[in-house]
Amino acid sequence: METASMNAIDLVSSVQIDALATPCLVLDEAKMTRNIARLQARLAGLGVPLRPHLKTSKSIDVARRVMPTAAGPITVSTLLEAEQFAECGVTDILYAVGIAPSKLQRAQNLRDRGVDLTVVVDGIDQAEAVAAFSRDRGVAMPVLIEIDCDGHRSGVRPESELLTQIALALGAGAELRGVFTHAGGSYDRPGPLAIVAAADQERDAVLLASERLRQAGFAAPIVGVGSTPTAHFCSSLSGVTEVRAGVFVFFDLVMAGLGVCTIDDIALSTLATVIGHQDERNWIITDAGWMAMSRDRGTARQSIDQGYGLVCDIAGRPYPDLILSEANQEHSIARLRPGANGRLPHLPVGTIVRILPNHACATAAQHSKYHVLGSDGTTIKAIWPRFAGW
Amino acid sequence: METASMNAIDLVSSVQIDALATPCLVLDEAKMTRNIARLQARLAGLGVPLRPHLKTSKSIDVARRVMPTAAGPITVSTLLEAEQFAECGVTDILYAVGIAPSKLQRAQNLRDRGVDLTVVVDGIDQAEAVAAFSRDRGVAMPVLIEIDCDGHRSGVRPESELLTQIALALGAGAELRGVFTHAGGSYDRPGPLAIVAAADQERDAVLLASERLRQAGFAAPIVGVGSTPTAHFCSSLSGVTEVRAGVFVFFDLVMAGLGVCTIDDIALSTLATVIGHQDERNWIITDAGWMAMSRDRGTARQSIDQGYGLVCDIAGRPYPDLILSEANQEHSIARLRPGANGRLPHLPVGTIVRILPNHACATAAQHSKYHVLGSDGTTIKAIWPRFAGW
């Protein structure tokens, strides 16, 4: 287990953004607050509670600003996340990645400490392993069955016979709590109409699955859906008991490309310094390579390819069409995107820029802390640590 | 500055590879030792010393096995790497990324502690900044001029007038030590003939640059080249004074695709567990997502696309044509590559696999430690920490 200090540092003496060593991660707190309020208001209108996914931030400071209560509920993608947030007092945790049998004891250790941790299965052998573990330990491990709503990854099809077979297998020791799904396919479908359709498909899949389980005699009180696109575009969540979403807190260029947010909503950026030029090729070299941006190229399949990120001035205003076209470990090449008819901005060596990420989860994972930008847009008011590992 | 404990843990009680929590990073020490010996023997034959690039490993334990002496010389890509290795006694360090003026004081701090740190420039304004800093501080910062041998990123063309202008600008305070280049373009040119040509081009570029500087009256004692492909395929290094290379220590699928190593030479892998199946689609789901593999897709442009990695059994033997075709944060989909005519292996939930990475630098960067595999292929004999950040 890897840990990091979970203590935020509130900066009493004023640190200006241009005094930070680059590359580093900057978080615009006002934008984050606005993004959180937007989804909270939307779900309040739909009458369904939020179980935020904290894999994006891996930060207790961000968690405290997005959780419904100090005890949760939350969603995590690793047992380390569960352990770290449990340390900070969170007691209602969904570990939303299919459980490996070898990880059951570590999950149970958290339950033994009073954390209501729920695990996930989508296969019979996995369900049998959880049931056998439960019997051996004299516990009843709570479980959700993962439903496949769009064929993008894991889960059981809601109409499959496998669904009730898994429920039966769990019944020999574990506690079936219900079903959940994730419309990962919604990331490939830009525009409101496509996302509304993905949201309907996501909801209908878990409603069908929970209905089939109830008809077969299984209680399935939890009916969960969730992805940032579908959470923002769903038309009705009738029958759904909770919504998960993660990247809505920060947003990113992939979400902007889908139409879920605007470029101006993106709260996370990598601060970088210009370290060179290739004048003949109209290239600007920065010190934000893939180590600082990640190798994520999520906008490559969208209508506007943002390369490894969209370059902004230090105030966060994008330079028109200036993107990172290539990234090496500690270098990137910024240039105008193909077809752009503007001029390359004059950015001498030493100029500080901010680069918006394709994928906030991936870019944040390259860093160990957030430099929290105050509402004046220039003062760093705090440093929030984030953890890494499994 | 971010630091990690630099203390390796030698495991006295026997830990077997199948007892490790997944995902995690496994390093086959015997393969690493063989890879290091191979390049050392090659360069010894060519009569040119190695200045290993430690950005790949970010580990003092790996460094000690590849450095010519405990004091270096080494190459680094960040000032944090320089600081971390200096802490461990390394005193001859090339910081091979163009220096930002704001980083000069931090570089000088290392020099003040007795570390012979050399910085890099490729522009006049940057050279003037280093010279001005040197004059202000009453020091003579040593500098290499970066030469562009193949148009792939940074550097001055060796025939450019800019070269002597930069040397002149440096003369006003800094110490010009010479030139270096990196044949990054060699990563795009598979096969021995293409790499030999890239190596010739790399060497000829720095020889021309150093000759032009000497004709203009500047001493340029250091003439450096380096990339893992060209270091393994160069035919002559006459006139070159040092060779840099990094990924040769571990190797990876990109290097195998170029023909620089075999699949069997790859010393680094991600240990993962099977956590599910989609039988209808012939998919195996593992717990090694992009968080454990990185988003690097370096083999996508090669003749054999390895997806996000090539799946092996726990002993490191590849399953024919089984690759990670998709990766999410903590999930990946393993399936047979398109066109493969074999059968999907039977890997039940809980099966432990090892996944070879596209790009060792990127995959290692997702982890905080190496689990060092002993020569029996099953015992983990030590844990070597690695650091992160800037």
Side-chain angles (χ1 to χ4, degrees):
Chain A
M1 182 172 112
E2 300 163 38
T3 58
S5 162
M6 294 290 276
N7 297 323
I9 300 166
D10 290 315
L11 301 170
V12 273
S13 63
S14 162
V15 173
Q16 296 300 297
I17 187 171
D18 59 2
L20 296 176
T22 61
C24 70
L25 200 58
V26 171
L27 174 57
D28 184 321
E29 190 182 17
K31 290 186 180 185
M32 180 184 79
T33 303
R34 191 173 75 194
N35 294 340
I36 293 170
R38 177 181 157 201
L39 188 61
Q40 285 175 337
R42 183 156 217 292
L43 295 182
L46 290 164
V48 183
L50 175 65
R51 178 186 285 276
H53 205 318
L54 301 185
K55 76 181 178 70
T56 306
S57 64
K58 296 193 190 236
S59 154
I60 189 62
D61 301 288
V62 174
R64 288 188 176 122
R65 286 159 175 85
V66 68
M67 291 190 294
T69 79
I74 67 169
T75 312
V76 299
S77 69
T78 67
L79 286 174
L80 179 68
E81 291 166 43
E83 289 159 350
Q84 293 274 299
F85 291 117
E87 277 298 320
C88 299
V90 178
T91 57
D92 180 355
I93 304 179
L94 170 62
Y95 168 40
V97 174
I99 186 82
S102 58
K103 296 176 184 171
L104 281 165
Q105 184 57 54
R106 193 166 156 200
Q108 183 59 38
N109 291 347
L110 275 170
R111 293 194 55 79
D112 289 343
R113 287 167 47 196
V115 176
D116 188 12
L117 182 80
T118 301
V119 303
V120 162
V121 303
D122 71 350
I124 291 177
D125 43 359
Q126 214 174 10
E128 287 172 345
V130 180
F133 178 90
S134 295
R135 289 194 307 273
D136 288 351
R137 298 301 191 289
V139 300
M141 179 78 74
V143 182
L144 295 188
I145 301 176
E146 182 170 3
I147 303 301
D148 172 15
C149 63
D150 58 12
H152 82 282
R153 188 174 69 198
S154 303
V156 189
R157 292 293 305 167
E159 67 278 4
S160 161
E161 283 307 306
L162 200 53
L163 178 65
T164 43
Q165 292 165 358
I166 291 170
L168 266 175
L170 287 172
E175 178 198 347
L176 173 60
R177 284 229 176 131
V179 293
F180 85 110
T181 194
H182 166 58
S186 67
Y187 286 64
D188 298 323
R189 297 162 74 170
L193 286 179
I195 303 175
V196 166
D200 288 347
Q201 184 179 332
E202 182 182 46
R203 178 201 59 221
D204 292 347
V206 277
L207 290 181
L208 173 59
S210 63
E211 182 56 30
R212 287 192 58 228
L213 287 174
R214 286 168 194 157
Q215 283 177 354
F218 300 99
I222 294 180
V223 182
V225 297
S227 80
T228 285
T230 56
H232 280 90
F233 281 90
C234 54
S235 53
S236 156
L237 289 175
S238 178
V240 168
T241 67
E242 61 185 39
V243 172
R244 303 176 327 281
V247 81
F248 74 96
V249 170
F250 296 153
F251 280 135
D252 54 28
L253 292 170
V254 166
M255 288 296 126
L258 288 175
V260 180
C261 67
T262 68
I263 296 284
D264 187 57
D265 291 328
I266 300 173
L268 204 68
S269 59
T270 299
L271 199 74
T273 302
V274 172
I275 58 169
H277 299 88
Q278 293 287 15
D279 289 333
E280 290 172 20
R281 301 188 195 101
N282 288 313
W283 291 357
I284 298 166
I285 312 293
T286 90
D287 66 354
W290 57 251
M291 190 67 86
M293 296 304 302
S294 91
R295 269 291 197 195
D296 197 283
R297 288 283 289 106
T299 55
R301 57 186 180 186
Q302 295 189 327
S303 59
I304 299 179
D305 183 345
Q306 306 282 14
Y308 285 92
L310 181 62
V311 184
C312 303
D313 66 15
I314 195 169
R317 293 171 298 225
Y319 293 110
D321 293 315
L322 188 64
I323 63 171
L324 298 188
S325 64
E326 293 290 337
N328 295 128
Q329 187 159 338
E330 301 291 350
H331 299 80
S332 56
I333 299 173
R335 61 172 154 177
L336 297 181
R337 78 176 82 240
N341 51 19
R343 285 173 63 95
L344 193 73
H346 177 62
L347 305 180
V349 162
T351 303
I352 299 176
V353 295
R354 281 165 67 189
I355 305 170
L356 301 178
N358 282 321
H359 186 174
C361 306
T363 299
Q366 303 296 110
H367 298 263
S368 66
K369 49 181 159 318
Y370 301 93
H371 298 85
V372 183
L373 188 63
S375 53
D376 65 355
T378 62
T379 305
I380 302 300
K381 55 181 279 191
I383 293 173
W384 294 346
R386 50 170 287 140
F387 54 88
W390 295 268
Chain B
M1 182 173 112
E2 302 164 37
T3 58
S5 162
M6 293 292 275
N7 298 322
I9 300 167
D10 290 316
L11 300 170
V12 275
S13 63
S14 163
V15 173
Q16 297 300 298
I17 187 171
D18 60 2
L20 296 176
T22 61
C24 70
L25 200 57
V26 171
L27 174 57
D28 184 320
E29 190 182 18
K31 291 186 180 185
M32 180 185 78
T33 302
R34 190 172 78 195
N35 294 340
I36 293 170
R38 177 180 157 202
L39 188 62
Q40 285 175 337
R42 183 156 218 291
L43 295 182
L46 290 164
V48 183
L50 175 65
R51 179 185 283 278
H53 205 317
L54 301 184
K55 76 181 178 70
T56 306
S57 64
K58 297 194 189 237
S59 153
I60 188 64
D61 300 288
V62 175
R64 289 188 176 122
R65 286 158 176 85
V66 68
M67 291 190 294
T69 79
I74 67 169
T75 313
V76 299
S77 69
T78 66
L79 286 174
L80 179 68
E81 290 167 43
E83 289 159 349
Q84 292 274 298
F85 291 117
E87 278 296 321
C88 298
V90 178
T91 56
D92 181 354
I93 304 179
L94 170 62
Y95 168 41
V97 174
I99 185 83
S102 58
K103 296 176 183 171
L104 282 164
Q105 184 57 54
R106 194 166 155 199
Q108 183 59 37
N109 292 346
L110 275 171
R111 293 194 57 77
D112 290 343
R113 287 168 46 196
V115 176
D116 188 12
L117 181 80
T118 301
V119 302
V120 163
V121 304
D122 71 350
I124 292 177
D125 43 359
Q126 214 174 11
E128 287 172 345
V130 180
F133 178 90
S134 295
R135 290 194 307 274
D136 288 351
R137 298 300 192 289
V139 299
M141 178 78 74
V143 181
L144 296 188
I145 301 176
E146 182 170 4
I147 303 301
D148 172 15
C149 63
D150 58 12
H152 83 281
R153 186 174 70 199
S154 303
V156 189
R157 291 294 304 166
E159 67 279 4
S160 161
E161 283 309 305
L162 200 52
L163 178 64
T164 45
Q165 292 165 358
I166 291 171
L168 267 174
L170 288 172
E175 177 198 347
L176 174 59
R177 285 232 175 128
V179 293
F180 84 111
T181 193
H182 165 60
S186 67
Y187 287 64
D188 299 322
R189 298 162 72 170
L193 287 179
I195 304 176
V196 166
D200 288 347
Q201 183 179 334
E202 182 183 47
R203 177 202 60 221
D204 292 347
V206 277
L207 290 181
L208 173 59
S210 63
E211 182 55 31
R212 287 192 58 227
L213 287 174
R214 286 167 194 158
Q215 283 176 356
F218 299 99
I222 294 180
V223 181
V225 296
S227 80
T228 285
T230 56
H232 280 90
F233 281 90
C234 54
S235 53
S236 156
L237 289 175
S238 178
V240 168
T241 67
E242 62 184 38
V243 172
R244 303 176 326 282
V247 80
F248 73 96
V249 170
F250 297 152
F251 281 134
D252 54 28
L253 292 169
V254 166
M255 288 296 126
L258 287 174
V260 180
C261 68
T262 67
I263 296 284
D264 187 58
D265 291 328
I266 300 172
L268 204 68
S269 59
T270 299
L271 199 74
T273 302
V274 172
I275 58 170
H277 299 88
Q278 293 287 16
D279 289 332
E280 291 172 19
R281 302 188 195 101
N282 288 313
W283 291 358
I284 296 167
I285 312 293
T286 90
D287 65 355
W290 57 250
M291 190 67 87
M293 296 305 302
S294 91
R295 269 292 196 194
D296 196 284
R297 288 282 290 107
T299 55
R301 56 187 181 187
Q302 295 189 328
S303 59
I304 300 179
D305 183 345
Q306 306 282 15
Y308 285 93
L310 181 62
V311 184
C312 304
D313 66 15
I314 196 170
R317 293 171 300 226
Y319 293 110
D321 293 315
L322 187 64
I323 63 172
L324 299 188
S325 64
E326 294 289 338
N328 295 127
Q329 186 159 337
E330 301 290 351
H331 299 80
S332 56
I333 298 172
R335 61 172 154 178
L336 297 181
R337 77 175 84 242
N341 50 20
R343 285 173 62 95
L344 193 72
H346 177 62
L347 305 180
V349 162
T351 303
I352 298 177
V353 295
R354 282 166 65 188
I355 305 170
L356 302 178
N358 282 322
H359 186 174
C361 306
T363 299
Q366 303 295 110
H367 297 264
S368 67
K369 50 181 158 323
Y370 301 94
H371 298 84
V372 183
L373 188 63
S375 53
D376 65 355
T378 62
T379 304
I380 302 300
K381 55 182 279 191
I383 293 172
W384 293 347
R386 50 170 287 140
F387 55 87
W390 295 266

